[in-house]
Amino acid sequence: MKKVFITRKIPETGINLLKEKGYEVDISPEDRPLTKGELINALKAKQYDAVLTLLTDTIDAEVMDSAPTVKIYANYAIGFNNISLDEAKKRNIYVTNTPGGGADRVAEHTWALILALSCRIVEGDSYMRNGKYKGWDPMLLHGTKLAGKTLGIIGTGKIGADVAHRGKHGFDMNIAYYDVVRNESLEKDFQAVFYPTVDEVLKIADVVSLHVPLLDSTRHLINSDRLKMMKSSTYLINTSRGPVVDEKALVSALQNGVIKGAGLDVYEFEPDLAKGLAELPNVVLTPHIASGTEEARHDMAIISASNIIDALEGVTPRNQVSY
Ligand code: GLV
């Protein structure tokens, strides 16, 4: 009987799919990410054929060596920076992700952060709850109009394109973008303008939204120098991966008015925040929930389980990833 280990509870739909195939499925009983030692011990307990991992699991050479029978690490996430692709390749192990699961929802969450900042929703809410509202005031909590302004998108895969779609057709924004390859459909469908460098987008955008995978080349893509290139009226949004932004540099930029505000769903040292970030009034922070809807979590469970079934039934998994 084929054996699958799931590193933390996921929606039943995915688990049932694996059980219906006749696989033996073990799920970590902990309601938290396993430590590396715990994960290795769990994997050594049986000869597992597949592991369903979360983005909080680091799957490196040591983990792979502890489970030599594993044929696939099926990540329950769109991102896959937590798994060493080079090490997997050396061992002929598949790595998969869940690209269709929640990309549109991440775009919606990106927009929730943009609007929360531009309409000052969080500050307004706390103003009301703290009994500060004494009546209409023409000078109170001025926000920022988005129509006619420029939305700069760095990375135009499915999520970046969905953000552009909403920006163009929902909020009448002009779209500027950078990607390693030109995105013709973005240019045709949303009149998006391509810039050959990140810097050029940063210099002209009123809102910058990051949608790149975390790679060596994108770590600290937004650093102190690049923050200084942005206009002081610009909002930075990050729903990709925390280390794409140098968070310490971001805090300093926000404290000193280098940029106007930031909307973040991901953090450089999750779950910790850079010193001073949570005290800033010009940030909106959410706990890595951009794809966190019932529908998306269900889809991700089905997709990751299906990838495992593909691999264990001798088919190339539908969402195999590679650089
Ligand atoms: C969430 O961050 C994901 O990669 O799905």
Side-chain angles (χ1 to χ4, degrees), residues 22-312:
Y23 303 162
E24 182 181 331
V25 180
D26 294 332
I27 306 167
S28 163
E30 305 294 344
D31 188 19
R32 59 168 173 78
L34 294 176
T35 64
K36 191 166 167 185
E38 289 172 332
L39 177 58
I40 287 176
N41 285 340
L43 294 181
K44 279 182 171 164
K46 287 186 189 170
Q47 298 202 318
Y48 287 108
D49 298 280
V51 186
L52 195 150
T53 52
L54 306 193
L55 59 87
T56 40
D57 301 314
T58 300
I59 308 297
D60 58 11
E62 201 184 344
V63 173
M64 290 181 197
D65 286 342
S66 70
T69 48
V70 166
K71 293 163 198 65
I72 174 169
Y73 288 96
N75 217 30
Y76 181 89
I78 298 171
F80 44 86
N81 53 289
N82 55 307
I83 304 182
S84 169
L85 296 192
D86 290 343
E87 295 298 333
K89 204 171 183 177
K90 275 188 215 160
R91 295 164 178 78
N92 289 323
I93 300 173
Y94 290 122
V95 175
T96 58
N97 69 342
T98 56
D104 50 358
R105 161 64 193 162
V106 177
E108 288 175 1
H109 195 88
T110 301
W111 269 98
L113 291 172
I114 297 172
L115 292 169
L117 286 161
S118 63
C119 303
R120 304 189 69 172
I121 298 293
V122 177
E123 288 167 279
D125 181 82
S126 123
Y127 196 84
M128 298 304 290
R129 289 170 198 264
N130 289 320
K132 290 191 183 160
Y133 186 50
K134 302 295 178 224
W136 191 80
D137 174 353
M139 299 310 287
L140 186 61
L141 288 175
H142 290 173
T144 302
K145 176 177 153 165
L146 297 173
K149 303 257 174 72
T150 299
L151 170 62
I153 299 184
I154 310 294
T156 56
K158 168 89 175 108
I159 298 173
D162 281 359
V163 171
H165 181 184
R166 287 152 180 76
K168 183 70 189 172
H169 294 308
F171 293 95
D172 291 331
M173 292 190 79
N174 305 313
I175 310 298
Y177 80 98
Y178 166 80
D179 204 327
V180 284
V181 285
R182 264 180 101 140
N183 188 326
E184 277 169 27
S185 63
L186 209 76
E187 294 178 25
K188 184 164 152 282
D189 298 345
F190 314 129
Q191 294 77 54
V193 178
F194 170 74
Y195 287 83
T197 64
V198 172
D199 298 2
E200 284 164 278
V201 175
L202 298 183
K203 282 177 192 162
I204 56 142
D206 298 290
V207 177
V208 172
S209 196
L210 306 173
H211 301 290
V212 292
L214 177 61
L215 306 169
D216 287 343
S217 57
T218 60
R219 191 174 291 276
H220 282 194
L221 182 81
I222 302 298
N223 56 21
S224 170
D225 288 345
R226 285 213 163 116
L227 285 160
K228 285 183 195 137
M229 287 174 194
M230 293 161 66
K231 298 193 271 188
S232 57
S233 53
T234 295
Y235 294 122
L236 175 70
I237 311 295
N238 190 11
T239 54
S240 63
R241 283 292 180 265
V244 172
V245 176
D246 177 344
E247 203 169 292
K248 196 167 163 222
L250 175 64
V251 170
S252 166
L254 290 164
Q255 282 167 339
N256 297 308
V258 173
I259 63 168
K260 190 164 190 184
L264 307 176
D265 185 54
V266 289
Y267 305 91
E268 188 170 2
F269 302 106
E270 261 173 61
D272 298 329
L273 303 185
K275 194 160 170 279
L277 183 64
E279 282 77 57
L280 291 166
N282 50 347
V283 293
V284 176
L285 309 174
T286 54
H288 205 151
I289 52 167
S291 64
T293 58
E294 208 170 303
E295 296 95 326
R297 295 292 182 244
H298 161 86
D299 290 350
M300 291 162 77
I302 298 285
I303 296 169
S304 46
S306 303
N307 278 310
I308 289 180
I309 293 169
D310 288 345
L312 298 195

